[in-house]
Amino acid sequence: MKTQVAIIGGGPSGLLLSQLLHTRGIDSVVLERQTKDYVLSRIRAGVLEQGLLRLMEEAGCADRMHREGFTHDGTLISCGDELFRIDFTEHTGTPVMVYGQTEITRDLYAAREAAGAEIVFSVGSVVIHGADTDAPHVTYEKDGETHRIDCDFIAGCDGFHGVSRQTIPLSVRKEYEKVYPFGWLGILSETQPVNEELIYANSERGFALCSMRNEKLSRYYIQCSLSDKPEDWTDEAFWQELKRRIPADQAEHLVTGPSIEKSIAPLRSFVTEPMQWGRLFLCGDAAHIVPPTGAKGLNTAASDVHYLYNALRDFYEQDTRDGLDGYSQKALARIWKAERFSWWFSSLMHRYPDQSEFDLKMQRAEIEFLRTNAAAQKAMAENYVGLPY
């Protein structure tokens, strides 16, 4: 098989890149380790920056998103029972949209299948060959047979545990990482959200987040120990703990119900440099991880896709390599700013096991400064809605 761009990973970043390339007549093949049903079963955050919305529009996949998504003009932050609002549109003129990552993926699969795209599921033993040459290729196994794809370029959209980043020699790449000493216990419930906007809560008992997918589907999180397991928490215990961490007037109106999904996610900040090696380019979680505070994971992947898509378009349409040669530098400049915001917001809202009384006073002072200072609110709003590409 031969294609122009081999894309490893059939999640939202790989699918979005494939669909965008398709709109410009650039061929691609997508390889996915899991089944389509498995990919669509993964529960992820769904706060979308305007940059991602524009990419979905350019890809021709935005109709359902605009029809069913929820525009949010701000977010709520609490410290104990004190609650205040950061107004995105007042400070930036730009809202965000709440629309589940699963729905983004579903829309992209529908568009790719309608276009007759080549998406190969349940592949194994993926190996990238000759990425540092002018003739790269990818081999993989499917149904007991070995297959080969010859291509011009390879996009590694296969996540943190994928093969793409590992293909770049250790002598070339450098990795930066911070592992946080807690996780997030999250549940999904078929209940009305406690508030029409997200609530980020700092409490003496730890962080909590009240989020939603739609008017009848809520997503809630609480900070937990890394040693905890989902089965350690009954639904009743989760709801009781959540109520203790959010303002009393919000807890009073919290609608509880059986969880339909429950999981624990560790928190990590991670970046690899560079994000390219020869004709191999990394996108999304293959190159960087952010803690979920502030919902930057999918949005940082989208900015990578933007830079890579435009670089490939310039190569095929204008015969210039400038965008490709500068991809890593341009992508990383924005990634580190998103990493900073996610690190700052996580540090602001969580309780750390080694925090001293002084540390807690500084954290409270930082929250109070954010509550009362318009410039601080503007800076947060600019980062939350997404820095420009």
Side-chain angles (χ1 to χ4, degrees):
M1 186 186 307
K2 183 170 177 58
T3 191
Q4 290 171 296
V5 183
I7 300 174
I8 303 175
S13 57
L15 294 171
L16 179 57
L17 177 62
S18 180
Q19 180 65 12
L20 287 166
L21 293 173
H22 168 73
T23 66
R24 310 298 296 197
I26 301 170
D27 294 331
S28 66
V29 174
V30 176
L31 302 179
E32 170 54 46
R33 184 170 61 92
Q34 305 289 352
T35 65
K36 176 183 173 182
D37 287 344
Y38 181 92
V39 174
L40 290 174
S41 71
R42 293 187 293 216
I43 304 296
R44 297 290 187 272
V47 178
L48 313 182
E49 298 175 356
Q50 289 296 312
L52 176 49
L53 301 188
R54 289 192 293 270
L55 286 174
M56 289 291 286
E57 291 167 352
E58 188 171 355
C61 301
D63 289 349
R64 189 167 74 97
M65 179 183 69
H66 284 307
R67 188 170 61 249
E68 299 180 9
F70 292 83
T71 298
H72 279 208
D73 294 307
T75 195
L76 298 168
I77 295 177
S78 72
C79 187
D81 279 336
E82 183 179 88
L83 187 69
F84 63 95
R85 184 171 186 265
I86 307 294
D87 192 316
F88 301 150
T89 53
E90 176 186 342
H91 291 295
T92 71
T94 305
V96 294
M97 177 174 285
V98 173
Y99 187 67
Q101 179 173 319
T102 301
E103 304 311 311
I104 287 276
T105 308
R106 196 182 306 279
D107 294 341
L108 289 166
Y109 270 136
R112 292 281 60 221
E113 291 165 358
E118 187 76 30
I119 304 176
V120 187
F121 294 99
S122 303
V123 303
S125 302
V126 176
V127 181
I128 297 170
H129 306 266
D132 58 339
T133 72
D134 291 335
H137 68 277
V138 178
T139 58
Y140 65 94
E141 292 184 3
K142 169 76 173 177
D143 298 329
E145 297 183 6
T146 300
H147 302 263
R148 170 173 171 151
I149 302 176
D150 292 287
C151 53
D152 299 330
F153 302 99
I154 301 167
C157 305
D158 50 347
F160 182 77
H161 299 288
V163 302
S164 297
R165 185 180 71 258
Q166 303 300 327
T167 298
I168 301 177
L170 287 171
S171 60
V172 174
R173 62 183 161 97
K174 184 173 182 179
E175 297 180 348
Y176 304 84
E177 183 176 34
K178 175 180 176 60
V179 177
Y180 295 80
F182 43 73
W184 278 17
L185 170 64
I187 72 165
L188 193 66
S189 64
E190 293 177 329
T191 55
Q192 178 183 345
V194 68
N195 195 289
E196 62 183 12
E197 291 185 336
L198 273 64
I199 300 175
Y200 291 89
N202 176 309
S203 84
E204 294 180 352
R205 300 181 66 88
F207 170 78
L209 171 61
C210 302
S211 183
M212 74 284 290
R213 290 294 175 268
N214 56 52
E215 69 275 6
K216 296 180 180 179
L217 192 62
S218 298
R219 184 73 165 158
Y220 295 105
Y221 302 90
I222 58 173
Q223 176 184 344
C224 68
S225 170
L226 287 173
S227 62
D228 285 359
K229 299 178 181 178
E231 55 268 26
D232 295 337
W233 287 83
T234 64
D235 289 351
E236 181 181 1
F238 177 91
W239 292 121
Q240 290 295 328
E241 186 60 30
L242 178 63
K243 288 180 178 180
R244 295 185 184 104
R245 299 189 187 191
I246 62 176
D249 62 335
Q250 300 296 316
E252 183 180 346
H253 297 99
L254 180 68
V255 178
T256 65
S259 64
I260 58 176
E261 192 271 343
K262 186 185 296 177
S263 59
I264 291 179
L267 273 66
R268 171 191 287 118
S269 296
F270 174 88
V271 180
T272 189
E273 294 185 353
M275 288 173 57
Q276 65 189 100
W277 183 55
R279 292 185 171 229
L280 168 64
F281 301 85
L282 305 181
C283 283
D285 288 359
H288 44 77
I289 301 286
V290 292
T293 327
K296 291 300 172 196
L298 177 59
N299 291 297
T300 51
S303 67
D304 296 343
V305 169
H306 165 82
Y307 294 127
L308 184 54
Y309 157 61
N310 282 284
L312 290 166
R313 187 178 69 174
D314 288 348
F315 175 82
Y316 286 111
E317 295 179 359
Q318 301 181 28
D319 194 28
T320 175
R321 288 190 58 100
D322 291 349
L324 292 172
D325 293 341
Y327 166 74
S328 182
Q329 181 179 5
K330 185 173 287 188
L332 283 168
R334 189 178 189 277
I335 291 306
W336 277 114
K337 292 173 184 176
E339 291 280 350
R340 184 211 67 83
F341 173 71
S342 298
W343 161 82
W344 168 81
F345 201 19
S346 296
S347 300
L348 184 69
M349 302 307 296
H350 292 82
R351 291 300 170 105
Y352 289 71
D354 60 349
Q355 276 180 311
S356 66
E357 290 296 320
F358 178 86
D359 295 331
L360 292 171
K361 286 288 188 181
M362 289 298 97
Q363 188 181 63
R364 181 58 190 255
E366 179 80 2
I367 293 173
E368 182 63 14
F369 181 69
L370 179 63
R371 185 184 72 84
T372 59
N373 187 276
Q377 292 187 12
K378 179 177 173 62
M380 178 183 169
E382 287 177 343
N383 281 273
Y384 197 98
V385 304
L387 298 174
Y389 289 167

